[in-house]
Amino acid sequence: MFYLLIDRERMVFILLVFFISFVVVGIVDELGKFFDVWSYPHQFLIFTHRFNSVDFAVIPVILTLVYQFFSKWKFYWIAALIAAAFIAFIGVPIFTFFHLYDLNHWNTWKAFITVYPIGLFIKVISDFIYSNQRK
């Protein structure tokens, strides 16, 4: 789906935004696993415990698409809020139901409160890189 929706004219930059999302989400994921607030009973790639479908497929793709479609801050705030709500209140329960994600000391509200600032942080970093690229 990401491949079909990506803006071909800005593909390199949007892929950079995806990479930033991937790294930021990965760091937060490692912190969450380290402090045992969540865990993954099944892995995306079975030969490693680092890659899972929740954090390395779903969340970076959603946050990248939000960035691509809502580049102005005024609209981005709202779109990121809706995306964070979707991830936390729909995505997390679905992944939990299918045992791809276990909430040890975590809940959907904490996920929402975490994902929303991650989206804002990704926007700040991406906009900073974009503005310096144009100079």
Side-chain angles (χ1 to χ4, degrees):
M1 186 167 87
F2 181 67
Y3 178 76
L4 296 174
L5 294 174
I6 193 167
D7 183 356
R8 304 278 188 259
E9 293 178 13
R10 300 187 303 159
M11 184 181 276
V12 173
F13 185 72
I14 298 301
L15 289 174
L16 176 65
V17 174
F18 176 79
F19 178 72
I20 293 166
S21 302
F22 188 86
V23 169
V24 171
V25 169
I27 291 169
V28 172
D29 181 61
E30 286 298 316
L31 289 170
K33 286 190 292 189
F34 178 79
F35 290 109
D36 197 37
V37 294
W38 59 74
S39 60
Y40 303 96
H42 304 288
Q43 299 303 316
F44 186 57
L45 300 173
I46 56 175
F47 55 85
T48 179
H49 70 282
R50 299 270 184 234
F51 297 112
N52 57 71
S53 58
V54 176
D55 286 326
F56 294 109
V58 176
I59 296 175
V61 166
I62 291 172
L63 295 176
T64 302
L65 289 174
V66 167
Y67 183 86
Q68 174 181 300
F69 289 116
F70 303 96
S71 59
K72 304 280 187 211
W73 268 106
K74 180 178 180 179
F75 301 109
Y76 186 85
W77 286 97
I78 297 165
L81 187 70
I82 293 168
F86 176 82
I87 290 166
F89 300 119
I90 296 172
V92 168
I94 289 172
F95 281 112
T96 302
F97 177 79
F98 287 110
H99 303 291
L100 297 172
Y101 186 59
D102 284 338
L103 304 174
N104 301 337
H105 306 288
W106 202 246
N107 60 43
T108 55
W109 281 102
K110 290 178 183 176
F112 174 73
I113 292 170
T114 304
V115 172
Y116 185 59
I118 289 172
L120 298 179
F121 182 69
I122 290 166
K123 171 87 168 135
V124 167
I125 291 194
S126 301
D127 282 357
F128 177 76
I129 292 170
Y130 184 74
S131 67
N132 283 338
Q133 171 191 9
R134 298 190 78 189
K135 291 180 182 181

